[in-house]
Amino acid sequence: YQQIENWDNIFNEINELRIRYTSARTAQDFSAVGVACVRIIEGLSRVAYIHSIHGDSSQEEPAVSKMDLRIGQVITYNLDGRPNEELRALAKTSSAVAHKVKHATTPNALQAGIACDSVILLCSIINRIEIDRIKSMTD
């Protein structure tokens, strides 16, 4: 596997995820879908989180494995406050769903499909936030 380092990689991984899910038939296949979902969330954390923008300069940059924290900070920076707490919760839930499928003893098509959908939704939301952030810098 190549490390996910930019938005094009994320979009390519999402396309591969769709293909993997469509061809999945066994519990092992569905577990592999969960692994792919976690990989995409980790990549999203790597691509979207910029410590100089989203982090606290007095603290070390959180590890990429702290994806919930990193993605939560991206959302908080751009969509702060109580009105957007559901989006922060969505990020955590997407990650939890993906991990659950990855580690399930006998994951099924429904669980894997929902994990895919939640990861794709999360990527779309973060991409929209990033596009808006860049746009506001050029306005």
Side-chain angles (χ1 to χ4, degrees):
Y1 287 114
Q2 197 174 12
Q3 188 170 4
I4 300 172
E5 297 179 350
N6 58 49
W7 282 104
D8 286 339
N9 292 153
I10 289 173
F11 298 137
N12 288 338
E13 290 287 330
I14 288 171
N15 287 335
E16 290 295 321
L17 177 65
R18 288 181 168 125
I19 292 166
R20 178 170 288 151
Y21 173 73
T22 301
S23 65
R25 299 287 178 264
T26 67
Q28 290 83 4
D29 294 341
F30 298 127
S31 180
V33 168
V35 171
C37 288
V38 171
R39 175 178 156 69
I40 291 170
I41 295 171
E42 185 177 280
L44 179 64
S45 162
R46 183 178 293 108
V47 170
Y49 179 85
I50 302 166
H51 190 63
S52 61
I53 296 171
H54 305 115
D56 181 346
S57 61
S58 68
Q59 297 181 359
E60 291 278 324
E61 180 174 341
V64 173
S65 62
K66 302 278 186 186
M67 52 192 132
D68 294 342
L69 173 66
R70 290 167 63 100
I71 292 170
Q73 287 178 316
V74 170
I75 293 170
T76 298
Y77 177 82
N78 294 281
L79 300 169
D80 197 18
R82 189 166 239 206
N84 296 299
E85 63 189 24
E86 293 86 2
L87 291 175
R88 291 187 295 278
L90 176 65
K92 278 189 170 186
T93 303
S94 294
S95 179
V97 167
H99 277 90
K100 190 172 187 175
V101 171
K102 174 183 172 183
H103 296 294
T105 306
T106 55
N108 61 38
L110 178 61
Q111 293 166 324
I114 290 171
C116 290
D117 293 341
S118 68
V119 167
I120 292 167
L121 175 62
L122 180 61
C123 289
S124 296
I125 290 168
I126 299 298
N127 184 249
R128 185 170 304 278
I129 289 170
E130 181 68 3
I131 289 168
D132 188 70
R133 183 185 68 78
I134 291 169
K135 182 176 178 255
S136 69
M137 291 172 41
T138 60
D139 287 348

PDB file of all heavy atoms in Angstrom, residues 65-103:
ATOM      1  N   SER A  65      -2.132   8.380  13.973  1.00  0.00           N
ATOM      2  CA  SER A  65      -3.014   7.357  14.531  1.00  0.00           C
ATOM      3  C   SER A  65      -4.101   7.957  15.437  1.00  0.00           C
ATOM      4  O   SER A  65      -5.101   7.304  15.706  1.00  0.00           O
ATOM      5  CB  SER A  65      -2.208   6.318  15.304  1.00  0.00           C
ATOM      6  OG  SER A  65      -1.544   6.925  16.392  1.00  0.00           O
ATOM      7  N   LYS A  66      -3.924   9.175  15.870  1.00  0.00           N
ATOM      8  CA  LYS A  66      -4.934   9.886  16.669  1.00  0.00           C
ATOM      9  C   LYS A  66      -5.907  10.580  15.714  1.00  0.00           C
ATOM     10  O   LYS A  66      -6.189  11.768  15.816  1.00  0.00           O
ATOM     11  CB  LYS A  66      -4.270  10.916  17.595  1.00  0.00           C
ATOM     12  CG  LYS A  66      -3.268  10.345  18.544  1.00  0.00           C
ATOM     13  CD  LYS A  66      -3.969   9.781  19.724  1.00  0.00           C
ATOM     14  CE  LYS A  66      -2.927   9.328  20.751  1.00  0.00           C
ATOM     15  NZ  LYS A  66      -3.521   8.652  21.854  1.00  0.00           N
ATOM     16  N   MET A  67      -6.406   9.802  14.762  1.00  0.00           N
ATOM     17  CA  MET A  67      -7.209  10.361  13.673  1.00  0.00           C
ATOM     18  C   MET A  67      -8.475  11.056  14.151  1.00  0.00           C
ATOM     19  O   MET A  67      -8.855  12.083  13.597  1.00  0.00           O
ATOM     20  CB  MET A  67      -7.495   9.311  12.618  1.00  0.00           C
ATOM     21  CG  MET A  67      -8.079   8.030  13.098  1.00  0.00           C
ATOM     22  SD  MET A  67      -8.017   6.771  11.790  1.00  0.00           S
ATOM     23  CE  MET A  67      -7.359   5.419  12.702  1.00  0.00           C
ATOM     24  N   ASP A  68      -9.139  10.530  15.177  1.00  0.00           N
ATOM     25  CA  ASP A  68     -10.359  11.173  15.678  1.00  0.00           C
ATOM     26  C   ASP A  68     -10.051  12.569  16.199  1.00  0.00           C
ATOM     27  O   ASP A  68     -10.786  13.523  15.918  1.00  0.00           O
ATOM     28  CB  ASP A  68     -10.995  10.349  16.802  1.00  0.00           C
ATOM     29  CG  ASP A  68     -11.511   8.998  16.324  1.00  0.00           C
ATOM     30  OD1 ASP A  68     -11.685   8.826  15.101  1.00  0.00           O
ATOM     31  OD2 ASP A  68     -11.735   8.130  17.181  1.00  0.00           O
ATOM     32  N   LEU A  69      -8.961  12.690  16.926  1.00  0.00           N
ATOM     33  CA  LEU A  69      -8.547  13.979  17.474  1.00  0.00           C
ATOM     34  C   LEU A  69      -8.196  14.941  16.352  1.00  0.00           C
ATOM     35  O   LEU A  69      -8.655  16.089  16.332  1.00  0.00           O
ATOM     36  CB  LEU A  69      -7.349  13.797  18.411  1.00  0.00           C
ATOM     37  CG  LEU A  69      -6.687  15.069  18.930  1.00  0.00           C
ATOM     38  CD1 LEU A  69      -7.647  15.824  19.846  1.00  0.00           C
ATOM     39  CD2 LEU A  69      -5.396  14.742  19.653  1.00  0.00           C
ATOM     40  N   ARG A  70      -7.397  14.486  15.409  1.00  0.00           N
ATOM     41  CA  ARG A  70      -6.949  15.349  14.314  1.00  0.00           C
ATOM     42  C   ARG A  70      -8.131  15.813  13.460  1.00  0.00           C
ATOM     43  O   ARG A  70      -8.254  16.997  13.148  1.00  0.00           O
ATOM     44  CB  ARG A  70      -5.916  14.608  13.467  1.00  0.00           C
ATOM     45  CG  ARG A  70      -4.592  14.406  14.202  1.00  0.00           C
ATOM     46  CD  ARG A  70      -3.698  13.413  13.487  1.00  0.00           C
ATOM     47  NE  ARG A  70      -3.284  13.839  12.173  1.00  0.00           N
ATOM     48  CZ  ARG A  70      -2.104  14.366  11.882  1.00  0.00           C
ATOM     49  NH1 ARG A  70      -1.198  14.529  12.822  1.00  0.00           N
ATOM     50  NH2 ARG A  70      -1.810  14.706  10.640  1.00  0.00           N
ATOM     51  N   ILE A  71      -9.002  14.896  13.078  1.00  0.00           N
ATOM     52  CA  ILE A  71     -10.154  15.265  12.254  1.00  0.00           C
ATOM     53  C   ILE A  71     -11.105  16.146  13.059  1.00  0.00           C
ATOM     54  O   ILE A  71     -11.660  17.118  12.540  1.00  0.00           O
ATOM     55  CB  ILE A  71     -10.845  14.011  11.687  1.00  0.00           C
ATOM     56  CG1 ILE A  71      -9.914  13.329  10.672  1.00  0.00           C
ATOM     57  CG2 ILE A  71     -12.183  14.373  11.028  1.00  0.00           C
ATOM     58  CD1 ILE A  71     -10.361  11.969  10.209  1.00  0.00           C
ATOM     59  N   GLY A  72     -11.281  15.841  14.331  1.00  0.00           N
ATOM     60  CA  GLY A  72     -12.096  16.684  15.197  1.00  0.00           C
ATOM     61  C   GLY A  72     -11.576  18.107  15.258  1.00  0.00           C
ATOM     62  O   GLY A  72     -12.351  19.076  15.249  1.00  0.00           O
ATOM     63  N   GLN A  73     -10.247  18.269  15.284  1.00  0.00           N
ATOM     64  CA  GLN A  73      -9.665  19.611  15.315  1.00  0.00           C
ATOM     65  C   GLN A  73      -9.861  20.340  13.987  1.00  0.00           C
ATOM     66  O   GLN A  73     -10.047  21.555  13.974  1.00  0.00           O
ATOM     67  CB  GLN A  73      -8.189  19.542  15.704  1.00  0.00           C
ATOM     68  CG  GLN A  73      -8.003  19.223  17.171  1.00  0.00           C
ATOM     69  CD  GLN A  73      -6.551  19.113  17.577  1.00  0.00           C
ATOM     70  OE1 GLN A  73      -5.736  18.505  16.880  1.00  0.00           O
ATOM     71  NE2 GLN A  73      -6.224  19.678  18.726  1.00  0.00           N
ATOM     72  N   VAL A  74      -9.831  19.610  12.882  1.00  0.00           N
ATOM     73  CA  VAL A  74     -10.111  20.232  11.577  1.00  0.00           C
ATOM     74  C   VAL A  74     -11.540  20.770  11.581  1.00  0.00           C
ATOM     75  O   VAL A  74     -11.796  21.915  11.187  1.00  0.00           O
ATOM     76  CB  VAL A  74      -9.912  19.224  10.416  1.00  0.00           C
ATOM     77  CG1 VAL A  74     -10.435  19.790   9.099  1.00  0.00           C
ATOM     78  CG2 VAL A  74      -8.449  18.832  10.298  1.00  0.00           C
ATOM     79  N   ILE A  75     -12.465  19.951  12.047  1.00  0.00           N
ATOM     80  CA  ILE A  75     -13.868  20.376  12.096  1.00  0.00           C
ATOM     81  C   ILE A  75     -14.040  21.535  13.073  1.00  0.00           C
ATOM     82  O   ILE A  75     -14.687  22.539  12.744  1.00  0.00           O
ATOM     83  CB  ILE A  75     -14.783  19.193  12.468  1.00  0.00           C
ATOM     84  CG1 ILE A  75     -14.774  18.149  11.337  1.00  0.00           C
ATOM     85  CG2 ILE A  75     -16.212  19.671  12.738  1.00  0.00           C
ATOM     86  CD1 ILE A  75     -15.439  16.841  11.692  1.00  0.00           C
ATOM     87  N   THR A  76     -13.440  21.432  14.249  1.00  0.00           N
ATOM     88  CA  THR A  76     -13.574  22.479  15.264  1.00  0.00           C
ATOM     89  C   THR A  76     -13.025  23.807  14.763  1.00  0.00           C
ATOM     90  O   THR A  76     -13.634  24.860  14.964  1.00  0.00           O
ATOM     91  CB  THR A  76     -12.847  22.070  16.564  1.00  0.00           C
ATOM     92  OG1 THR A  76     -13.460  20.889  17.063  1.00  0.00           O
ATOM     93  CG2 THR A  76     -12.919  23.158  17.608  1.00  0.00           C
ATOM     94  N   TYR A  77     -11.865  23.772  14.102  1.00  0.00           N
ATOM     95  CA  TYR A  77     -11.250  25.004  13.603  1.00  0.00           C
ATOM     96  C   TYR A  77     -12.170  25.707  12.604  1.00  0.00           C
ATOM     97  O   TYR A  77     -12.321  26.919  12.638  1.00  0.00           O
ATOM     98  CB  TYR A  77      -9.904  24.695  12.942  1.00  0.00           C
ATOM     99  CG  TYR A  77      -9.255  25.922  12.346  1.00  0.00           C
ATOM    100  CD1 TYR A  77      -8.531  26.798  13.144  1.00  0.00           C
ATOM    101  CD2 TYR A  77      -9.393  26.212  10.989  1.00  0.00           C
ATOM    102  CE1 TYR A  77      -7.951  27.935  12.603  1.00  0.00           C
ATOM    103  CE2 TYR A  77      -8.817  27.346  10.446  1.00  0.00           C
ATOM    104  CZ  TYR A  77      -8.095  28.207  11.249  1.00  0.00           C
ATOM    105  OH  TYR A  77      -7.533  29.336  10.706  1.00  0.00           O
ATOM    106  N   ASN A  78     -12.762  24.935  11.739  1.00  0.00           N
ATOM    107  CA  ASN A  78     -13.570  25.513  10.661  1.00  0.00           C
ATOM    108  C   ASN A  78     -15.042  25.658  11.018  1.00  0.00           C
ATOM    109  O   ASN A  78     -15.728  26.509  10.445  1.00  0.00           O
ATOM    110  CB  ASN A  78     -13.428  24.661   9.393  1.00  0.00           C
ATOM    111  CG  ASN A  78     -12.021  24.724   8.844  1.00  0.00           C
ATOM    112  OD1 ASN A  78     -11.651  25.678   8.201  1.00  0.00           O
ATOM    113  ND2 ASN A  78     -11.218  23.722   9.145  1.00  0.00           N
ATOM    114  N   LEU A  79     -15.538  24.824  11.902  1.00  0.00           N
ATOM    115  CA  LEU A  79     -16.955  24.831  12.272  1.00  0.00           C
ATOM    116  C   LEU A  79     -17.058  24.734  13.790  1.00  0.00           C
ATOM    117  O   LEU A  79     -17.534  23.753  14.332  1.00  0.00           O
ATOM    118  CB  LEU A  79     -17.683  23.658  11.614  1.00  0.00           C
ATOM    119  CG  LEU A  79     -17.664  23.608  10.093  1.00  0.00           C
ATOM    120  CD1 LEU A  79     -18.192  22.270   9.615  1.00  0.00           C
ATOM    121  CD2 LEU A  79     -18.468  24.745   9.510  1.00  0.00           C
ATOM    122  N   ASP A  80     -16.601  25.772  14.455  1.00  0.00           N
ATOM    123  CA  ASP A  80     -16.529  25.753  15.908  1.00  0.00           C
ATOM    124  C   ASP A  80     -17.903  25.887  16.547  1.00  0.00           C
ATOM    125  O   ASP A  80     -18.861  26.328  15.926  1.00  0.00           O
ATOM    126  CB  ASP A  80     -15.622  26.891  16.394  1.00  0.00           C
ATOM    127  CG  ASP A  80     -15.178  26.707  17.822  1.00  0.00           C
ATOM    128  OD1 ASP A  80     -15.263  25.582  18.323  1.00  0.00           O
ATOM    129  OD2 ASP A  80     -14.739  27.706  18.426  1.00  0.00           O
ATOM    130  N   GLY A  81     -17.961  25.487  17.776  1.00  0.00           N
ATOM    131  CA  GLY A  81     -19.134  25.753  18.598  1.00  0.00           C
ATOM    132  C   GLY A  81     -20.155  24.645  18.633  1.00  0.00           C
ATOM    133  O   GLY A  81     -20.075  23.638  17.942  1.00  0.00           O
ATOM    134  N   ARG A  82     -21.123  24.890  19.468  1.00  0.00           N
ATOM    135  CA  ARG A  82     -22.184  23.923  19.725  1.00  0.00           C
ATOM    136  C   ARG A  82     -22.986  23.551  18.470  1.00  0.00           C
ATOM    137  O   ARG A  82     -23.357  22.393  18.310  1.00  0.00           O
ATOM    138  CB  ARG A  82     -23.106  24.502  20.795  1.00  0.00           C
ATOM    139  CG  ARG A  82     -24.108  23.527  21.291  1.00  0.00           C
ATOM    140  CD  ARG A  82     -24.711  24.049  22.546  1.00  0.00           C
ATOM    141  NE  ARG A  82     -24.442  23.059  23.577  1.00  0.00           N
ATOM    142  CZ  ARG A  82     -25.194  22.911  24.625  1.00  0.00           C
ATOM    143  NH1 ARG A  82     -26.194  23.717  24.842  1.00  0.00           N
ATOM    144  NH2 ARG A  82     -24.927  21.970  25.490  1.00  0.00           N
ATOM    145  N   PRO A  83     -23.257  24.498  17.560  1.00  0.00           N
ATOM    146  CA  PRO A  83     -24.060  24.134  16.379  1.00  0.00           C
ATOM    147  C   PRO A  83     -23.428  23.033  15.513  1.00  0.00           C
ATOM    148  O   PRO A  83     -24.113  22.402  14.726  1.00  0.00           O
ATOM    149  CB  PRO A  83     -24.155  25.439  15.584  1.00  0.00           C
ATOM    150  CG  PRO A  83     -23.917  26.515  16.570  1.00  0.00           C
ATOM    151  CD  PRO A  83     -22.972  25.939  17.590  1.00  0.00           C
ATOM    152  N   ASN A  84     -22.136  22.814  15.671  1.00  0.00           N
ATOM    153  CA  ASN A  84     -21.453  21.832  14.828  1.00  0.00           C
ATOM    154  C   ASN A  84     -20.965  20.607  15.592  1.00  0.00           C
ATOM    155  O   ASN A  84     -20.177  19.832  15.079  1.00  0.00           O
ATOM    156  CB  ASN A  84     -20.284  22.516  14.123  1.00  0.00           C
ATOM    157  CG  ASN A  84     -20.786  23.583  13.187  1.00  0.00           C
ATOM    158  OD1 ASN A  84     -21.514  23.302  12.254  1.00  0.00           O
ATOM    159  ND2 ASN A  84     -20.429  24.828  13.453  1.00  0.00           N
ATOM    160  N   GLU A  85     -21.473  20.419  16.800  1.00  0.00           N
ATOM    161  CA  GLU A  85     -21.027  19.270  17.595  1.00  0.00           C
ATOM    162  C   GLU A  85     -21.412  17.938  16.947  1.00  0.00           C
ATOM    163  O   GLU A  85     -20.713  16.944  17.099  1.00  0.00           O
ATOM    164  CB  GLU A  85     -21.520  19.351  19.031  1.00  0.00           C
ATOM    165  CG  GLU A  85     -23.005  19.304  19.201  1.00  0.00           C
ATOM    166  CD  GLU A  85     -23.444  19.602  20.636  1.00  0.00           C
ATOM    167  OE1 GLU A  85     -22.716  20.262  21.383  1.00  0.00           O
ATOM    168  OE2 GLU A  85     -24.537  19.144  20.978  1.00  0.00           O
ATOM    169  N   GLU A  86     -22.498  17.925  16.173  1.00  0.00           N
ATOM    170  CA  GLU A  86     -22.896  16.691  15.486  1.00  0.00           C
ATOM    171  C   GLU A  86     -21.848  16.273  14.451  1.00  0.00           C
ATOM    172  O   GLU A  86     -21.620  15.086  14.241  1.00  0.00           O
ATOM    173  CB  GLU A  86     -24.254  16.846  14.795  1.00  0.00           C
ATOM    174  CG  GLU A  86     -25.420  17.024  15.734  1.00  0.00           C
ATOM    175  CD  GLU A  86     -25.648  18.488  16.137  1.00  0.00           C
ATOM    176  OE1 GLU A  86     -24.920  19.382  15.658  1.00  0.00           O
ATOM    177  OE2 GLU A  86     -26.557  18.723  16.930  1.00  0.00           O
ATOM    178  N   LEU A  87     -21.228  17.264  13.792  1.00  0.00           N
ATOM    179  CA  LEU A  87     -20.203  16.929  12.805  1.00  0.00           C
ATOM    180  C   LEU A  87     -18.970  16.334  13.474  1.00  0.00           C
ATOM    181  O   LEU A  87     -18.368  15.401  12.953  1.00  0.00           O
ATOM    182  CB  LEU A  87     -19.819  18.167  11.991  1.00  0.00           C
ATOM    183  CG  LEU A  87     -20.914  18.678  11.053  1.00  0.00           C
ATOM    184  CD1 LEU A  87     -20.478  19.973  10.396  1.00  0.00           C
ATOM    185  CD2 LEU A  87     -21.247  17.631  10.014  1.00  0.00           C
ATOM    186  N   ARG A  88     -18.612  16.859  14.620  1.00  0.00           N
ATOM    187  CA  ARG A  88     -17.489  16.283  15.359  1.00  0.00           C
ATOM    188  C   ARG A  88     -17.836  14.857  15.815  1.00  0.00           C
ATOM    189  O   ARG A  88     -17.015  13.949  15.748  1.00  0.00           O
ATOM    190  CB  ARG A  88     -17.108  17.181  16.534  1.00  0.00           C
ATOM    191  CG  ARG A  88     -16.474  18.504  16.074  1.00  0.00           C
ATOM    192  CD  ARG A  88     -15.929  19.323  17.222  1.00  0.00           C
ATOM    193  NE  ARG A  88     -16.945  19.807  18.140  1.00  0.00           N
ATOM    194  CZ  ARG A  88     -17.698  20.884  17.955  1.00  0.00           C
ATOM    195  NH1 ARG A  88     -17.568  21.594  16.854  1.00  0.00           N
ATOM    196  NH2 ARG A  88     -18.581  21.264  18.861  1.00  0.00           N
ATOM    197  N   ALA A  89     -19.064  14.665  16.241  1.00  0.00           N
ATOM    198  CA  ALA A  89     -19.512  13.329  16.646  1.00  0.00           C
ATOM    199  C   ALA A  89     -19.527  12.378  15.449  1.00  0.00           C
ATOM    200  O   ALA A  89     -19.183  11.195  15.577  1.00  0.00           O
ATOM    201  CB  ALA A  89     -20.892  13.404  17.287  1.00  0.00           C
ATOM    202  N   LEU A  90     -19.907  12.886  14.280  1.00  0.00           N
ATOM    203  CA  LEU A  90     -19.917  12.068  13.065  1.00  0.00           C
ATOM    204  C   LEU A  90     -18.518  11.541  12.758  1.00  0.00           C
ATOM    205  O   LEU A  90     -18.358  10.384  12.389  1.00  0.00           O
ATOM    206  CB  LEU A  90     -20.458  12.880  11.880  1.00  0.00           C
ATOM    207  CG  LEU A  90     -20.434  12.184  10.525  1.00  0.00           C
ATOM    208  CD1 LEU A  90     -21.371  10.987  10.527  1.00  0.00           C
ATOM    209  CD2 LEU A  90     -20.816  13.165   9.430  1.00  0.00           C
ATOM    210  N   ALA A  91     -17.517  12.388  12.932  1.00  0.00           N
ATOM    211  CA  ALA A  91     -16.140  11.962  12.676  1.00  0.00           C
ATOM    212  C   ALA A  91     -15.764  10.801  13.582  1.00  0.00           C
ATOM    213  O   ALA A  91     -15.218   9.795  13.124  1.00  0.00           O
ATOM    214  CB  ALA A  91     -15.181  13.128  12.863  1.00  0.00           C
ATOM    215  N   LYS A  92     -16.070  10.923  14.867  1.00  0.00           N
ATOM    216  CA  LYS A  92     -15.749   9.854  15.815  1.00  0.00           C
ATOM    217  C   LYS A  92     -16.539   8.583  15.500  1.00  0.00           C
ATOM    218  O   LYS A  92     -16.016   7.469  15.561  1.00  0.00           O
ATOM    219  CB  LYS A  92     -16.048  10.298  17.246  1.00  0.00           C
ATOM    220  CG  LYS A  92     -14.975  11.123  17.848  1.00  0.00           C
ATOM    221  CD  LYS A  92     -15.236  11.323  19.316  1.00  0.00           C
ATOM    222  CE  LYS A  92     -14.029  11.954  19.959  1.00  0.00           C
ATOM    223  NZ  LYS A  92     -14.136  12.070  21.393  1.00  0.00           N
ATOM    224  N   THR A  93     -17.795   8.750  15.156  1.00  0.00           N
ATOM    225  CA  THR A  93     -18.648   7.600  14.881  1.00  0.00           C
ATOM    226  C   THR A  93     -18.204   6.877  13.616  1.00  0.00           C
ATOM    227  O   THR A  93     -18.185   5.640  13.579  1.00  0.00           O
ATOM    228  CB  THR A  93     -20.122   8.032  14.775  1.00  0.00           C
ATOM    229  OG1 THR A  93     -20.485   8.684  16.000  1.00  0.00           O
ATOM    230  CG2 THR A  93     -21.039   6.859  14.542  1.00  0.00           C
ATOM    231  N   SER A  94     -17.831   7.619  12.585  1.00  0.00           N
ATOM    232  CA  SER A  94     -17.344   6.994  11.348  1.00  0.00           C
ATOM    233  C   SER A  94     -16.137   6.124  11.634  1.00  0.00           C
ATOM    234  O   SER A  94     -16.035   4.989  11.154  1.00  0.00           O
ATOM    235  CB  SER A  94     -16.957   8.063  10.320  1.00  0.00           C
ATOM    236  OG  SER A  94     -18.078   8.770   9.901  1.00  0.00           O
ATOM    237  N   SER A  95     -15.242   6.640  12.430  1.00  0.00           N
ATOM    238  CA  SER A  95     -14.055   5.882  12.795  1.00  0.00           C
ATOM    239  C   SER A  95     -14.423   4.641  13.604  1.00  0.00           C
ATOM    240  O   SER A  95     -13.908   3.544  13.358  1.00  0.00           O
ATOM    241  CB  SER A  95     -13.099   6.782  13.588  1.00  0.00           C
ATOM    242  OG  SER A  95     -11.962   6.076  13.977  1.00  0.00           O
ATOM    243  N   ALA A  96     -15.321   4.800  14.557  1.00  0.00           N
ATOM    244  CA  ALA A  96     -15.740   3.667  15.397  1.00  0.00           C
ATOM    245  C   ALA A  96     -16.404   2.576  14.567  1.00  0.00           C
ATOM    246  O   ALA A  96     -16.141   1.380  14.769  1.00  0.00           O
ATOM    247  CB  ALA A  96     -16.685   4.147  16.494  1.00  0.00           C
ATOM    248  N   VAL A  97     -17.253   2.967  13.614  1.00  0.00           N
ATOM    249  CA  VAL A  97     -17.941   1.995  12.756  1.00  0.00           C
ATOM    250  C   VAL A  97     -16.920   1.231  11.915  1.00  0.00           C
ATOM    251  O   VAL A  97     -16.982   0.006  11.798  1.00  0.00           O
ATOM    252  CB  VAL A  97     -18.996   2.692  11.859  1.00  0.00           C
ATOM    253  CG1 VAL A  97     -19.496   1.782  10.762  1.00  0.00           C
ATOM    254  CG2 VAL A  97     -20.153   3.206  12.699  1.00  0.00           C
ATOM    255  N   ALA A  98     -15.956   1.938  11.348  1.00  0.00           N
ATOM    256  CA  ALA A  98     -14.935   1.293  10.524  1.00  0.00           C
ATOM    257  C   ALA A  98     -14.107   0.309  11.353  1.00  0.00           C
ATOM    258  O   ALA A  98     -13.855  -0.824  10.925  1.00  0.00           O
ATOM    259  CB  ALA A  98     -14.034   2.344   9.885  1.00  0.00           C
ATOM    260  N   HIS A  99     -13.697   0.731  12.547  1.00  0.00           N
ATOM    261  CA  HIS A  99     -12.929  -0.164  13.415  1.00  0.00           C
ATOM    262  C   HIS A  99     -13.743  -1.386  13.834  1.00  0.00           C
ATOM    263  O   HIS A  99     -13.219  -2.496  13.938  1.00  0.00           O
ATOM    264  CB  HIS A  99     -12.423   0.589  14.654  1.00  0.00           C
ATOM    265  CG  HIS A  99     -11.170   1.342  14.411  1.00  0.00           C
ATOM    266  ND1 HIS A  99     -11.166   2.651  13.977  1.00  0.00           N
ATOM    267  CD2 HIS A  99      -9.882   0.974  14.524  1.00  0.00           C
ATOM    268  CE1 HIS A  99      -9.917   3.052  13.845  1.00  0.00           C
ATOM    269  NE2 HIS A  99      -9.118   2.058  14.171  1.00  0.00           N
ATOM    270  N   LYS A 100     -15.016  -1.185  14.071  1.00  0.00           N
ATOM    271  CA  LYS A 100     -15.880  -2.298  14.485  1.00  0.00           C
ATOM    272  C   LYS A 100     -15.952  -3.359  13.381  1.00  0.00           C
ATOM    273  O   LYS A 100     -15.864  -4.558  13.655  1.00  0.00           O
ATOM    274  CB  LYS A 100     -17.271  -1.779  14.824  1.00  0.00           C
ATOM    275  CG  LYS A 100     -18.154  -2.794  15.492  1.00  0.00           C
ATOM    276  CD  LYS A 100     -19.438  -2.163  15.984  1.00  0.00           C
ATOM    277  CE  LYS A 100     -20.234  -3.152  16.791  1.00  0.00           C
ATOM    278  NZ  LYS A 100     -21.416  -2.548  17.384  1.00  0.00           N
ATOM    279  N   VAL A 101     -16.098  -2.917  12.141  1.00  0.00           N
ATOM    280  CA  VAL A 101     -16.148  -3.866  11.021  1.00  0.00           C
ATOM    281  C   VAL A 101     -14.786  -4.545  10.851  1.00  0.00           C
ATOM    282  O   VAL A 101     -14.709  -5.753  10.644  1.00  0.00           O
ATOM    283  CB  VAL A 101     -16.588  -3.158   9.720  1.00  0.00           C
ATOM    284  CG1 VAL A 101     -16.423  -4.071   8.509  1.00  0.00           C
ATOM    285  CG2 VAL A 101     -18.024  -2.684   9.837  1.00  0.00           C
ATOM    286  N   LYS A 102     -13.729  -3.763  10.978  1.00  0.00           N
ATOM    287  CA  LYS A 102     -12.370  -4.304  10.841  1.00  0.00           C
ATOM    288  C   LYS A 102     -12.114  -5.422  11.851  1.00  0.00           C
ATOM    289  O   LYS A 102     -11.493  -6.431  11.517  1.00  0.00           O
ATOM    290  CB  LYS A 102     -11.363  -3.167  11.043  1.00  0.00           C
ATOM    291  CG  LYS A 102      -9.919  -3.581  11.062  1.00  0.00           C
ATOM    292  CD  LYS A 102      -9.042  -2.375  11.340  1.00  0.00           C
ATOM    293  CE  LYS A 102      -7.596  -2.795  11.570  1.00  0.00           C
ATOM    294  NZ  LYS A 102      -6.746  -1.651  11.903  1.00  0.00           N
ATOM    295  N   HIS A 103     -12.594  -5.248  13.075  1.00  0.00           N
ATOM    296  CA  HIS A 103     -12.289  -6.205  14.138  1.00  0.00           C
ATOM    297  C   HIS A 103     -13.403  -7.215  14.421  1.00  0.00           C
ATOM    298  O   HIS A 103     -13.232  -8.091  15.270  1.00  0.00           O
ATOM    299  CB  HIS A 103     -11.951  -5.452  15.426  1.00  0.00           C
ATOM    300  CG  HIS A 103     -10.710  -4.625  15.302  1.00  0.00           C
ATOM    301  ND1 HIS A 103      -9.464  -5.180  15.125  1.00  0.00           N
ATOM    302  CD2 HIS A 103     -10.519  -3.279  15.294  1.00  0.00           C
ATOM    303  CE1 HIS A 103      -8.562  -4.221  15.027  1.00  0.00           C
ATOM    304  NE2 HIS A 103      -9.176  -3.057  15.133  1.00  0.00           N
TER     305      HIS A 103
END
